[in-house]
Amino acid sequence: MEIIKSLVFSALLISTATGTTESKRLNYWLYCRNYNLIKKNLLDSATASDFIIGKRDSEVELLDNRDRAVGTFVKKGNKMLFSSLEKARYDIAVKTCVYRNLQLLALERPEEINEIYLSRINEYEDPEFLWTSAAPCSKSDPLDAKTKSCSSVTWCSSDVATRLDYTLYLGRFSPPYCMIYRRSSRQLEPTNCTFEASFFCEMPCSKPKCPLTDECIKDDSLFEVTKGKSFLKSGNKFGGKWIRSSHNVSYFLGEKQVDWNENWKTCCSLGLKPIALTDSLTNQFDRADSPMQGLVYWTAMTRADCPFEFENCFHSNATEPFSIPTIHGVFQEGSCVAVTVRDPSAKVYLGYRLAVKTTACTSKLLLACEGPVQTFRMKKKRKINCKLPACTGIAECVMDDSNFLTQPFRVLLVPQRFGNWTISCSHSFLELPNEYGTWDEAYTRCCSLGMDLLSFQNPIKQHCLANPPKAVKPPEGQFWTSGRDLNACRGKLRWCTGYLNDFLKKDLIWKAGEHPDSANNSCVYVDLSKPKMSGLALADCSEKKKILCEAPAGVGYKLQVPALFCRKIYMVKEAEAYTLWNSGDLSQAGSGAKKMVQCLAEFAGLFYSSTKINKQIYLNMVSKIIASTIDLQKMFAIMTNKRDWFRTYKETYGEQKVQNMIEDMSKNTMEDFYLEPFQLGTELINKLDDCSATPDSGEATFAFGFVQCLLQSKELQRFWKAYNYQSDLFSVIPAQDEISSPCLKFQNYLQNTFLCIPPAILAQIGDSGPFISSVPINVQKVNTSSYTACLERRGSLPYAETKEMFFQLYSFFRSVAPNLTIIWDQAFFSSNDRVFAWCRSDLNPFNPSDRVPVPIAVKGAAPTKDPLMLISLPGPKPNLRVVSATEELLYQTDVFCRFPQPVVTECTANNSMPEWAYWPY
């Protein structure tokens, strides 16, 4: 990989060096003679294969036994330098730089000294001495014959003279003069050329090529002034958002795709500049909730015509540094620099999340500008865009927290209390008995339960709902669906759900005589009155109809849950879907698999009307492409093997050179790992327009053609594996077996299910009684709930099989926590037996059998309503009562736990569990 990168990068170096090669850049100042002679002798004797283009593969670098100093490339200020990692004589320093098509460092700008010492040369030392390309004196300040002194230097590598604010005395030296920079004195000094010092090599060019500042012109024709405020005229498509920073800079992050030249020209036309890469930018956007997360924006920075020098164009007066130590992709093609914000792992391993990379200037990335003030406002759209399927002007969809457990995840509590559930078509349907409402009331009611009104992505689901599996009774009657048109978009029927943003398709089944084109501020209901029939119809939205809520069956994140439904309705075998997911090879996909991809894309809201892409949702999904598809374990194994191989060469090449190559290899490998999400984001944005116009795909498989187009880019192979699914909403409806049970084990809703209770706080009741925690567990400390705290440690809330055991447990708990409200395990009221039974949630809560052995006092609501909890109030006398769950009981009350014997045995056997496996309490 490194060799390929070097070949690509060589083109940049060659084009840069045209007309200014090292052989032509000899300085004929009198005291540069030695410098020139060393270069000339090398150039006269060397062959083309002697020179190093860019950065070489670590192994090639190690095995090169020629007389060159070991080193690596480092970022200093806004330039990349080759840094020696060992001290060398002056002539070796000059030769090492020439061999790399570079030149010995010239400190022409005073601020370069500070940039050099911002970070250490290597992890072992800060160099006191640095070789430079300076020669004493200059044509305008020649050597004083009497004092043997002068107050200037000439940089032999660039033929530039610099006046000094101190005097150089050469009386103790004779030519050739070699000069070092001494850090402690902050001065240049002549010294013996055989002295060994550290050094840097730099590019022969002085600065990158930027557009002329005079070309940055505001276009006043884009704006109109209303009541003293400047607004962007309608018709100018510059969607985006303004962000005001604490350092008095206003950033505009746009949604428009532009190349680098279009970016600066657009910014200038808006009275702004492209964003500069500075520490202020880092401070503003290097954070967890960054609006740059996963998206890739252009910056003002370029390295055009000077591959190792970077400059923020149009910001020539800016002196603020950019301290992030890495610009990715320096040894790849591309002269323009883009920026993104990485995932949290980058912060852990690198210390920062902001990532910058050289990129081809013709790439279509996102617009980004900055200025001292916000130069314009965007007029609020008075008219709804009826071409988009968004549902505006309806009630906000809000969940009612009293129906849910909200920590550690949100999940519907005791779902069977709300009505009759039907599991069909890989969906969970909830019919609310004896509840009728207008469309708005039905919509709001389903939202309160974390569900949606019915929607039909295709007629298969209609048939499935009316024909559920045997022994499952289908809903009967007329039920509102989520379909409707809007007052501002009459006749354009759309689904209003939290997961499907689309218009109603033409192939849906309507009742005889119904004409969807006649919709006029109408709502859609489904008539399930006739057996095995499911027809849609229009009605006035104020009519009262039955309420049937739905949610995709299964537990998981938003884009994971519909996968089963889409696979099953198109009869795609699990093995085929698995192969497509893991291989990314779509060439063998059948018709069903292609439709499955379309189904998933529509569920995500990514496509509507079959062939139209929702750009905002697409960019939102790109912002979540933050994981890496690289196998870390495999990568680290390869690195370890290479390290071991390198170490076998210590005697031959020396420990420092071997260590340098190991570090260099590790750096290269980790760059590939951290750079991958950047490359994915860049390419996904760049390819959006091209792949949105997929001519050969029909409506039923358009999304498949779109994905296939993306995969033609080698950077996007299996890009879906880099998507951070955990950034999406998690389903709030429990798994099917929990829906039908009065008890919940909260499968898939626990933070951890493998940790142990510390043996030090385990106690046993009697010689053969149950194991319990000897102290109450702090629920708030571990950000969980009283329902789930014990389950997360493979235990349960306490329960008692007999009256005697209940008294023993109560007595123990009171001896430890006399004032604590004791929360007991889940229980349910059996209407058939008219008794309460324990759920015993650590064993099998879906087949409870143990009766609660003591009388239960009922206070407040009837025991068959609301989420119930069994508690004991403080007092010496054992008591048990049923109450409704409250915020205090759920999230603020400490709990005792009971643990089964196998868990206790595992956690206490020879202290086999590591320290991190034990739960804080």
Side-chain angles (χ1 to χ4, degrees):
M1 178 60 74
E2 289 297 331
I3 293 175
I4 295 173
K5 289 178 182 177
S6 295
L7 290 174
V8 172
F9 187 70
S10 66
L12 289 171
L13 287 173
I14 292 169
S15 63
T16 301
T18 301
T20 58
T21 59
E22 282 298 303
S23 61
K24 296 180 181 179
R25 289 183 64 90
L26 299 180
N27 186 313
Y28 293 102
W29 169 239
L30 173 65
Y31 297 130
C32 286
R33 191 171 184 179
N34 180 45
Y35 178 87
N36 292 339
L37 187 61
I38 295 170
K39 288 176 60 177
K40 184 178 185 303
N41 289 341
L42 186 152
L43 293 170
D44 288 346
S45 61
T47 63
S49 61
D50 289 329
F51 295 94
I52 301 168
I53 303 296
K55 187 176 182 180
R56 297 191 298 177
D57 181 83
S58 302
E59 297 173 19
V60 175
E61 195 77 47
L62 173 66
L63 301 176
D64 188 343
N65 57 8
R66 287 171 287 187
D67 193 14
R68 301 171 185 174
V70 175
T72 188
F73 283 91
V74 295
K75 177 179 175 287
K76 295 293 181 180
N78 283 345
K79 64 164 54 177
M80 294 293 295
L81 301 175
F82 178 80
S83 167
S84 68
L85 293 181
E86 58 182 347
K87 297 179 176 65
R89 303 190 312 266
Y90 178 80
D91 63 324
I92 297 298
V94 174
K95 289 178 181 178
T96 299
C97 294
V98 174
Y99 272 129
R100 293 183 178 274
N101 284 286
L102 303 173
Q103 63 187 23
L104 194 59
L105 180 67
L107 298 172
E108 299 168 14
R109 296 179 294 110
E111 62 268 22
E112 281 188 276
I113 295 298
N114 293 329
E115 292 172 357
I116 292 295
Y117 285 102
L118 274 176
S119 59
R120 296 162 68 174
I121 299 300
N122 57 48
E123 63 179 280
Y124 305 110
E125 63 172 331
D126 293 322
E128 171 67 7
F129 301 106
L130 279 177
W131 282 124
T132 71
S133 65
C137 311
S138 60
K139 294 174 183 177
S140 62
D141 177 37
L143 184 68
D144 187 299
K146 292 183 179 180
T147 62
K148 299 291 184 182
S149 66
C150 61
S151 296
S152 65
V153 294
T154 299
W155 303 103
C156 298
S157 60
S158 61
D159 196 20
V160 173
T162 300
R163 296 288 297 187
L164 305 175
D165 58 4
Y166 52 90
T167 301
L168 298 174
Y169 293 98
L170 306 179
R172 293 187 300 110
F173 300 92
S174 58
Y177 297 117
C178 298
M179 301 200 68
I180 59 167
Y181 178 82
R182 184 193 289 264
R183 185 184 185 188
S184 57
S185 65
R186 299 182 66 83
Q187 292 183 357
L188 291 164
E189 298 177 4
T191 193
N192 192 308
C193 297
T194 60
F195 180 73
E196 292 189 342
S198 300
F199 63 91
F200 285 108
C201 306
E202 63 181 352
M203 284 292 294
C205 50
S206 58
K207 61 183 299 185
K209 183 180 179 181
C210 280
L212 297 176
T213 304
D214 294 344
E215 296 181 64
C216 189
I217 303 171
K218 182 180 180 181
D219 185 354
D220 291 322
S221 68
L222 297 174
F223 307 93
E224 59 185 12
V225 178
T226 304
K227 296 182 179 181
K229 296 179 180 180
S230 181
F231 289 89
L232 198 64
K233 287 182 179 178
S234 57
N236 294 309
K237 297 181 179 180
F238 293 117
K241 54 189 170 186
W242 283 98
I243 298 168
R244 182 67 178 173
S245 75
S246 58
H247 52 277
N248 297 323
V249 174
S250 293
Y251 296 99
F252 180 70
L253 301 183
E255 298 172 355
K256 186 177 181 180
Q257 292 166 262
V258 291
D259 62 31
W260 190 81
N261 281 312
E262 290 170 339
N263 185 72
W264 71 258
K265 288 177 181 178
T266 303
C267 291
C268 290
S269 71
L270 296 173
L272 303 165
K273 297 178 181 180
I275 59 175
L277 288 175
T278 63
D279 286 347
S280 293
L281 182 89
T282 304
N283 294 336
Q284 178 64 33
F285 294 106
D286 189 10
R287 51 188 168 89
D289 57 346
S290 174
M292 283 188 174
Q293 173 74 58
L295 299 173
V296 187
Y297 295 89
W298 280 123
T299 73
M301 188 170 278
T302 184
R303 60 171 180 175
D305 294 347
C306 199
F308 288 164
E309 296 271 352
F310 295 86
E311 182 172 340
N312 284 310
C313 298
F314 307 105
H315 296 269
S316 56
N317 296 327
T319 58
E320 187 179 0
F322 181 53
S323 303
I324 283 182
T326 304
I327 295 179
H328 296 292
V330 172
F331 302 101
Q332 299 176 358
E333 59 185 342
S335 297
C336 300
V337 180
V339 63
T340 188
V341 172
R342 277 289 319 267
D343 59 302
S345 69
K347 186 79 171 179
V348 173
Y349 292 106
L350 299 179
Y352 48 88
R353 298 177 58 159
L354 200 78
V356 294
K357 178 185 178 294
T358 56
T359 306
C361 302
T362 55
S363 297
K364 293 286 187 178
L365 304 180
L366 295 176
L367 174 76
C369 313
E370 69 169 70
V373 295
Q374 180 176 334
T375 57
F376 65 89
R377 291 173 171 81
M378 289 175 282
K379 288 186 175 180
K380 294 182 179 179
K381 295 180 180 179
R382 295 179 180 177
K383 293 184 178 180
I384 296 172
N385 186 350
C386 294
K387 294 181 180 179
L388 296 176
C391 292
T392 55
I394 64 174
E396 186 179 359
C397 190
V398 179
M399 298 185 200
D400 183 349
D401 281 352
S402 66
N403 295 326
F404 296 89
L405 186 73
T406 58
Q407 287 181 192
F409 280 89
R410 179 181 289 271
V411 58
L412 192 65
L413 279 174
V414 196
Q416 67 170 208
R417 65 193 167 103
F418 294 105
N420 304 318
W421 290 83
T422 301
I423 310 298
S424 181
C425 320
S426 300
H427 277 69
S428 300
F429 299 98
L430 171 62
E431 180 181 353
L432 303 179
N434 304 318
E435 287 195 42
Y436 291 79
T438 65
W439 190 93
D440 285 340
E441 291 168 344
Y443 175 82
T444 303
R445 181 71 171 115
C446 289
C447 284
S448 73
L449 300 173
M451 304 181 76
D452 290 292
L453 278 174
L454 284 172
S455 64
F456 298 105
Q457 188 181 12
N458 49 53
I460 300 176
K461 186 176 170 186
Q462 275 186 270
H463 174 79
C464 195
L465 178 61
N467 298 269
K470 292 181 180 179
V472 176
K473 183 181 179 182
E476 293 181 4
Q478 294 181 349
F479 299 89
W480 283 123
T481 74
S482 66
R484 65 171 300 161
D485 62 356
L486 305 176
N487 186 45
C489 302
R490 300 196 176 200
K492 297 281 288 183
L493 293 169
R494 64 203 64 212
W495 298 117
C496 296
T497 77
Y499 65 91
L500 184 62
N501 300 290
D502 205 350
F503 296 109
L504 273 68
K505 292 185 177 180
K506 296 179 181 179
D507 59 353
L508 295 175
I509 302 169
W510 290 79
K511 290 183 66 175
E514 287 288 335
H515 301 286
D517 294 339
S518 65
N520 186 16
N521 199 21
S522 307
C523 292
V524 180
Y525 70 91
V526 60
D527 192 340
L528 297 172
S529 301
K530 295 182 180 180
K532 299 187 178 182
M533 296 291 289
S534 168
L536 301 180
L538 297 175
D540 189 292
C541 300
S542 63
E543 288 186 24
K544 298 274 188 177
K545 295 194 179 295
K546 299 178 77 173
I547 302 175
L548 185 63
C549 307
E550 70 161 356
V555 177
Y557 293 96
K558 179 181 177 181
L559 291 186
Q560 296 173 324
V561 175
L564 180 63
F565 169 71
C566 292
R567 181 175 67 79
K568 283 193 170 183
I569 65 170
Y570 292 113
M571 295 179 286
V572 179
K573 293 182 179 179
E574 186 175 5
E576 181 183 1
Y578 184 82
T579 299
L580 291 175
W581 170 266
N582 285 285
S583 70
D585 180 9
L586 304 186
S587 61
Q588 303 301 316
S591 173
K594 293 178 181 180
K595 293 177 181 178
M596 176 186 71
V597 173
Q598 181 78 24
C599 174
L600 287 169
E602 291 175 354
F603 260 111
L606 184 58
F607 283 88
Y608 64 95
S609 296
S610 299
T611 62
K612 301 185 185 302
I613 191 166
N614 190 318
K615 185 175 180 179
Q616 287 188 326
I617 290 180
Y618 181 83
L619 292 178
N620 179 263
M621 293 179 71
V622 171
S623 73
K624 298 173 183 178
I625 301 284
I626 58 175
S628 177
T629 63
I630 295 175
D631 187 330
L632 271 178
Q633 284 189 325
K634 184 177 180 180
M635 182 183 75
F636 285 136
I638 293 173
M639 287 173 59
T640 300
N641 292 336
K642 281 195 172 184
R643 286 193 194 102
D644 295 340
W645 180 76
F646 280 171
R647 289 190 179 105
T648 63
Y649 284 85
K650 278 187 178 181
E651 292 186 6
T652 305
Y653 296 101
E655 183 170 349
Q656 190 171 35
K657 187 174 184 180
V658 169
Q659 185 60 33
N660 176 55
M661 292 305 103
I662 290 174
E663 292 176 5
D664 195 48
M665 176 202 65
S666 300
K667 188 190 301 182
N668 295 342
T669 305
M670 293 309 295
E671 162 136 332
D672 289 342
F673 174 71
Y674 289 116
L675 195 57
E676 187 189 26
F678 195 119
Q679 293 170 317
L680 285 172
T682 299
E683 194 66 4
L684 284 168
I685 294 171
N686 192 38
K687 297 279 287 183
L688 174 58
D689 286 341
D690 291 341
C691 293
S692 294
T694 310
D696 298 329
S697 298
E699 288 190 359
T701 60
F702 187 87
F704 179 85
F706 178 81
V707 173
Q708 205 167 31
C709 173
L710 293 178
L711 292 179
Q712 291 176 9
S713 172
K714 63 180 182 181
E715 287 87 359
L716 297 182
Q717 298 303 310
R718 301 186 305 164
F719 63 86
W720 50 82
K721 286 207 163 189
Y723 186 83
N724 180 21
Y725 292 93
Q726 295 185 9
S727 61
D728 289 334
L729 294 175
F730 199 79
S731 56
V732 299
I733 308 302
Q736 180 177 348
D737 51 4
E738 296 200 42
I739 285 178
S740 58
S741 170
C743 304
L744 293 176
K745 198 169 184 178
F746 301 100
Q747 299 174 94
N748 306 298
Y749 291 95
L750 304 176
Q751 295 181 98
N752 298 292
T753 55
F754 53 84
L755 301 188
C756 280
I757 199 77
I761 63 166
L762 272 176
Q764 187 175 20
I765 302 299
D767 295 331
S768 59
F771 288 91
I772 57 173
S773 55
S774 60
V775 295
I777 307 303
N778 189 324
V779 170
Q780 296 183 76
K781 186 175 181 179
V782 289
N783 192 34
T784 188
S785 70
S786 56
Y787 270 134
T788 54
C790 300
L791 292 173
E792 288 177 341
R793 271 64 193 176
R794 294 178 287 174
S796 72
L797 288 165
Y799 58 87
E801 296 90 336
T802 64
K803 186 175 183 179
E804 292 73 19
M805 179 57 66
F806 179 84
F807 289 157
Q808 285 181 291
L809 288 172
Y810 185 90
S811 176
F812 180 86
F813 296 151
R814 283 286 164 251
S815 69
V816 175
N819 298 317
L820 179 68
T821 296
I822 301 169
I823 301 177
W824 297 84
D825 194 24
Q826 296 177 60
F828 73 100
F829 183 76
S830 173
S831 57
N832 293 330
D833 299 330
R834 308 298 298 172
V835 297
F836 273 93
W838 295 116
C839 286
R840 299 188 63 176
S841 49
D842 61 328
L843 298 177
N844 184 6
F846 308 129
N847 186 26
S849 57
D850 287 331
R851 293 177 56 180
V852 176
V854 294
I856 300 174
V858 177
K859 182 178 180 181
T864 54
K865 302 290 184 182
D866 298 328
L868 305 176
M869 301 185 86
L870 291 182
I871 65 167
S872 293
L873 296 176
K877 186 177 180 180
N879 64 91
L880 186 64
R881 62 181 62 208
V882 61
V883 296
S884 296
T886 65
E887 287 281 316
E888 183 177 359
L889 289 173
L890 285 172
Y891 311 115
Q892 300 166 23
T893 304
D894 296 350
V895 295
F896 287 95
C897 298
R898 176 170 170 169
F899 299 95
Q901 180 66 57
V903 173
V904 173
T905 301
E906 179 185 348
C907 291
T908 57
N910 301 320
N911 295 318
S912 59
M913 302 297 288
E915 184 176 348
W916 55 262
Y918 293 106
W919 185 27
Y921 56 93

